Amino acid sequence: MQHHHGPESGHVHDHSIHVAQDKLKQALVLAFVVLLAEVIGGLWSNSLALLSDAVHMLTDVFALFIAWWAVRKSQSPPTGAMTFGYHRTAILAALFNAVTLIVVAVVIGTEAYRRLNQPEPVNSTILLATAAMGVIINLYIGWGMRNASHNLNIRSAMLHVLGDAAASGGVILGGLIIMTTGWTLVDPIISILIALTVAAGAWRVTRDSCLVLMEATPPSVEFSQVAKAIQSIPGIRSLHDLHIWSLSSNRHAMSVHVVVDGCLTVAHTQRLIQEVEILAGERFGIGHVTVQIECPESPHDEEDMFALDRNWSRH
């Protein structure tokens, strides 16, 4: 049995981690500035939409902090107790952030419903000025993190920020309507739209995080294609116990038992293992590969091999 770490390990990955850390630190500072401005502006203008945006911004600040901490923690080396290291820390952070977003959406929706029944006056000028600042800064933060969006942890933080930018845009629209028509009911209506937008983004991150934690086959990898590609390698008679999963959103792993034609020499076995590793890494982006070579006479469960044939399709 042999383990292999693919090209995603190394200097390129380390550089991307440091870049992500720097972007998250900058985003955290800017998000905190927007939070203070929206709290002050929301209380001053008596706008639920702006206060809802401020609550969302509070979760942005927390989300960015958790994302930054998770990126740092994920670099910790493996230990005897944590043999894969701490890559899943980022997934747990993404899941936590997504759940907090869902809670925020419920709170905003509840308060918006109350204001629909009991409308309150809103100072549209203060609302517009504060929301405009929120849009500009949040778009700047989100744009800065776009190149790291393949990382589920950073993507969840980016969704927080971009969701808040969209929410601030909605607040601006509401402020303009209130300023021109005096129709204050638009404030809770926009708050409900913000809540729905937040909940939709949170659901997607929650689903993706749960897939990683359940060790599902990564969406970017087609299980049947991997199985067929391995079995097409000359010298491999059959395979069983094929497992493909994610250590984090951008680190995939695979283990497989392959049955070869006859008992091979050590040198031939090593070449065969390397072929499987190169195939998994270059064709399917799987960087951590474990291959067990078996002779036809080796005991293995024939049911497992049959199950593999039946379940090559993702669905």
Side-chain angles (χ1 to χ4, degrees):
M1 184 179 293
Q2 180 164 323
H3 302 272
H4 169 74
H5 297 276
E8 61 191 356
S9 302
H11 296 298
V12 173
H13 179 73
D14 291 340
H15 175 70
S16 67
I17 288 291
H18 289 305
V19 170
Q21 275 188 278
D22 292 340
K23 288 183 180 297
L24 285 169
K25 278 194 290 188
Q26 181 191 43
L28 182 58
V29 173
L30 292 173
F32 189 72
V33 171
V34 176
L35 169 64
L36 290 179
E38 289 189 340
V39 168
I40 294 170
L43 293 173
W44 194 0
S45 64
N46 193 36
S47 168
L48 174 62
L50 197 53
L51 286 174
S52 298
D53 206 14
V55 172
H56 186 196
M57 202 68 215
L58 176 62
T59 67
D60 287 352
V61 171
F62 192 59
L64 290 166
F65 174 78
I66 291 292
W68 171 79
W69 174 82
V71 168
R72 283 184 56 110
K73 188 65 177 174
S74 68
Q75 296 178 80
S76 300
T79 66
M82 304 289 288
T83 55
F84 272 121
Y86 292 82
H87 299 299
R88 288 275 172 91
T89 306
I91 300 301
L92 292 173
L95 180 61
F96 179 80
N97 283 335
V99 170
T100 61
L101 276 174
I102 292 172
V103 172
V104 167
V106 171
V107 171
I108 292 173
T110 302
E111 178 61 15
Y113 178 76
R114 186 189 71 78
R115 285 214 182 185
L116 283 173
N117 295 313
Q118 298 175 345
E120 297 183 12
V122 175
N123 186 319
S124 57
T125 304
I126 296 171
L127 184 155
L128 283 170
T130 309
M133 184 188 72
V135 169
I136 294 169
I137 295 180
N138 279 308
L139 286 177
Y140 175 77
I141 295 171
W143 181 256
M145 291 192 289
R146 70 192 185 285
N147 292 331
S149 61
H150 60 278
N151 182 299
L152 189 60
N153 174 40
I154 294 180
R155 177 149 59 94
S156 71
M158 189 176 73
L159 280 174
H160 268 269
V161 173
L162 292 179
D164 199 72
S168 295
V171 172
I172 290 174
L173 177 62
L176 290 172
I177 292 173
I178 292 171
M179 181 178 286
T180 55
T181 67
W183 188 44
T184 56
L185 278 179
V186 74
D187 190 62
I189 289 172
I190 286 181
S191 299
I192 291 173
L193 294 176
I194 291 173
L196 292 174
T197 302
V198 167
W203 168 249
R204 286 192 294 272
V205 173
T206 301
R207 179 197 60 202
D208 292 346
S209 300
C210 288
L211 285 174
V212 174
L213 294 175
M214 291 294 291
E215 299 193 337
T217 302
S220 61
V221 178
E222 185 59 52
F223 184 90
S224 63
Q225 295 302 314
V226 176
K228 290 174 182 176
I230 293 172
Q231 195 152 13
S232 70
I233 295 175
I236 293 181
R237 179 173 174 178
S238 61
L239 64 148
H240 62 100
D241 288 310
L242 173 62
H243 302 284
I244 308 169
W245 71 99
S246 297
L247 301 174
S248 65
S249 55
N250 58 341
R251 283 177 174 260
H252 306 319
M254 180 186 85
S255 66
V256 64
H257 294 219
V258 298
V259 180
V260 299
D261 291 322
C263 291
L264 308 177
T265 64
V266 172
H268 194 174
T269 298
Q270 289 301 308
R271 284 197 297 273
L272 202 58
I273 289 173
Q274 286 175 358
E275 283 191 62
V276 176
E277 291 171 349
I278 292 169
L279 172 74
E282 293 184 354
R283 247 181 96 176
F284 301 102
I286 302 173
H288 184 97
V289 179
T290 303
V291 183
Q292 178 164 313
I293 301 290
E294 298 177 355
C295 295
E297 296 77 18
S298 298
H300 50 258
D301 194 338
E302 293 294 334
E303 270 192 28
D304 284 344
M305 299 178 69
F306 178 65
L308 177 65
D309 290 334
R310 288 183 302 171
N311 293 306
W312 271 0
S313 170
R314 179 181 296 277
H315 304 291

